[in-house]
Amino acid sequence: MIEFPFKPSVHEILPFAVFILFGITWLIQMVYYWGIFSRLAFFRRKATTADTPPVSVIICAKNEYRNLIQNLPLILEQDYPDYEVIVVNDASDDDTIELLSSFTRKYSHLRIFNLEQNLNFFSGKKFPLSLGIKSARHEIVLLTDADCQPSGKEWIRKMMENYGPGTEIVLGYGTFRKTAGFLNQIIRYDAFLVAVQYLSFALSGSPYMGVGRNLSYKKNLFFKNGGFISHYKLKSGDDDLFINRVARRRNTRIEIHPDAHTISSPKSGFYQWILQKRRHYTTARFYRPAFKFLLSLGYVSKLLLYLSFIALMVVRYNWMIVLSAFSLFFISHWIILSFAANKMKENDLAVLSPIYEVLLLIISPLLYISNIVHKQERWK
């Protein structure tokens, strides 16, 4: 039996344990940034097809008069040769149906699917969206929301250019309109960071989600996999849970060209944004196990990295090594996100990204706990 000349105390063991934790989480984060997120930061668009396949753009609307009157003409006037726009009116009690009827007199490629009563057998917009997909005349569908507008007249064309042999899914980027105020910065940064994650994972061969604000897939893929049946009781998941189940390395491509973005109006208040975030968080626990592990590992390791760094700097344990390592992580974070932001025309978000990171690290567990305590029942 080996005997040590001295017995280390708790005060000596604990800083060393925290130092080891810091090293492990630092290594994990560097793998995430340089092994995964760098794929988007240094992404070069592959050669795209010049074909212009016919497409059905589908929008679900419930009391969206104000958004439709502003955004729908921008979708109906796209520079694309063969497309239809289907708006599913989900029993709106405002003037939505009257507005849509007036638009049909000007735009022959606009079709209306009107649900006069609340016959939504699914939760959220899955039922009206399923009806819209079923009624689509074309094999490729392109989804967006009533509160979204395309960034330009090339939106459909840029998304459709990705449909080469074997492609069944195209993941797009949906950003939020830039306005004054710190809350707007947080909302936009959060959406940007989520996009960096799911687009980078897709480029690494592991697509796990998309956003319904800008998402395209083939109609046959939808029905072959049972649509939303496997999660029809959940209010959310019409985009991320479906993509999580059907997206694979060979059938998925991404599109981040600035002309292919959709732009939404951000929530005007912190509470409204929190409710939106809570709704999105409800679906994550239904992801495939591998993705739940990878996403949880990314968040937890980053949180522990920050906490262990603070603890080690307070007690000044190997502080030069710790500070140097954290500085390298910080620089890596800034480089990767700056390049990604430049590609996605979100340059202003990279400047204060460390501050936004810390705030989101604090908010995320609070939202998770809140979802356990309180449940939301309606999508509108």
Side-chain angles (χ1 to χ4, degrees):
M1 181 176 179
I2 300 175
E3 294 186 1
F4 292 96
F6 63 91
K7 185 178 181 180
S9 66
V10 175
H11 295 293
E12 294 171 321
I13 294 176
L14 188 57
F16 178 74
V18 175
F19 180 71
I20 296 299
L21 176 65
F22 173 82
I24 293 173
T25 55
W26 178 88
L27 182 60
I28 292 173
Q29 283 298 303
M30 294 299 279
V31 170
Y32 270 75
Y33 275 93
W34 289 105
I36 300 176
F37 302 151
S38 64
R39 294 173 183 268
L40 179 66
F42 306 114
F43 172 66
R44 290 189 177 184
R45 199 167 184 252
K46 296 180 180 179
T48 55
T49 176
D51 295 339
T52 53
V55 57
S56 298
V57 179
I58 302 176
I59 303 168
C60 294
K62 187 175 182 67
N63 298 327
E64 295 282 7
Y65 175 88
R66 292 186 177 181
N67 285 321
L68 289 171
I69 198 171
Q70 177 181 358
N71 300 327
L72 189 54
L74 301 176
I75 296 174
L76 290 165
E77 296 172 3
Q78 286 286 293
D79 180 16
Y80 199 75
D82 189 2
Y83 76 103
E84 63 174 354
V85 177
I86 301 172
V87 179
V88 183
N89 177 40
D90 186 14
S92 299
D93 54 20
D94 60 1
D95 294 329
T96 292
I97 190 62
E98 288 78 9
L99 175 67
L100 293 174
S101 298
S102 67
F103 276 147
T104 58
R105 291 190 286 271
K106 180 179 180 181
Y107 303 101
S108 60
H109 55 303
L110 172 63
R111 296 172 55 211
I112 305 171
F113 199 112
N114 188 35
L115 290 172
E116 295 184 356
Q117 300 178 355
N118 188 9
L119 300 176
N120 196 337
F121 301 107
F122 291 178
S123 297
K125 65 177 183 180
K126 293 173 185 174
F127 182 65
L129 182 54
S130 297
L131 293 178
I133 295 173
K134 184 177 181 180
S135 66
R137 292 170 177 165
H138 305 308
E139 171 62 13
I140 298 176
V141 298
L142 177 57
L143 313 180
T144 190
D145 291 336
D147 64 344
C148 296
Q149 61 178 235
S151 57
K153 290 191 174 184
E154 295 287 311
W155 170 55
I156 297 179
R157 187 179 300 276
K158 291 299 181 184
M159 292 291 286
M160 293 305 105
E161 284 178 352
N162 291 278
Y163 275 101
T167 302
E168 296 179 291
I169 301 169
V170 179
L171 307 178
Y173 175 51
T175 185
F176 289 98
R177 186 170 289 104
K178 183 179 180 180
T179 60
F182 187 70
L183 177 62
N184 177 260
Q185 291 280 309
I186 288 291
I187 293 174
R188 291 176 53 234
Y189 181 78
D190 179 57
F192 166 69
L193 194 62
V194 170
V196 168
Q197 289 188 158
Y198 75 78
L199 293 172
S200 296
F201 271 94
L203 289 172
S204 67
S206 301
Y208 72 90
M209 69 162 282
V211 292
R213 301 189 301 274
N214 195 3
L215 174 64
S216 178
Y217 47 78
K218 290 190 174 180
K219 184 177 177 179
N220 180 61
L221 180 71
F222 180 80
F223 288 107
K224 182 174 64 176
N225 289 276
F228 305 130
I229 293 296
S230 64
H231 47 87
Y232 74 94
K233 291 184 179 180
L234 295 176
K235 181 172 63 173
S236 299
D238 52 275
D239 44 15
D240 58 345
L241 287 184
F242 176 69
I243 295 301
N244 189 260
R245 189 156 51 90
V246 303
R248 298 293 184 270
R249 175 193 297 268
R250 297 184 180 277
N251 74 346
T252 305
R253 295 189 67 175
I254 75 164
E255 181 53 70
I256 60 171
H257 192 283
D259 291 340
H261 296 176
T262 59
I263 305 169
S264 306
S265 295
K267 298 299 181 182
S268 57
F270 183 76
Y271 179 70
Q272 288 75 19
W273 175 62
I274 289 296
L275 290 179
Q276 184 183 57
K277 288 291 295 178
R278 280 183 54 203
R279 188 171 71 249
H280 294 162
Y281 273 44
T282 59
T283 61
R285 67 180 186 274
F286 296 99
Y287 286 0
R288 283 184 281 162
F291 294 110
K292 286 195 291 185
F293 172 76
L294 289 172
L295 294 173
S296 298
L297 179 63
Y299 170 77
V300 173
S301 62
K302 182 177 288 186
L303 179 62
L304 291 177
L305 176 64
Y306 275 83
L307 293 177
S308 59
F309 168 72
I310 294 172
L312 292 171
M313 292 304 292
V314 168
V315 299
R316 298 181 66 81
Y317 185 87
N318 287 339
W319 69 272
M320 283 293 293
I321 297 175
V322 172
L323 182 60
S324 299
F326 191 81
S327 298
L328 184 57
F329 159 75
F330 186 84
I331 293 170
S332 298
H333 163 90
W334 214 325
I335 291 174
I336 297 298
L337 291 193
S338 294
F339 273 90
N342 181 63
K343 287 185 178 295
M344 300 163 74
K345 300 303 179 184
E346 301 279 22
N347 303 70
D348 62 305
L349 296 178
V351 178
L352 296 178
S353 61
I355 297 176
Y356 306 144
E357 283 278 327
V358 173
L359 288 175
L360 291 176
L361 284 173
I362 296 172
I363 291 172
S364 294
L366 298 178
L367 292 177
Y368 181 80
I369 295 172
S370 178
N371 267 356
I372 296 176
V373 177
H374 304 287
K375 294 183 179 181
Q376 301 180 72
E377 301 297 333
R378 296 167 22 181
W379 77 289
K380 283 286 181 183

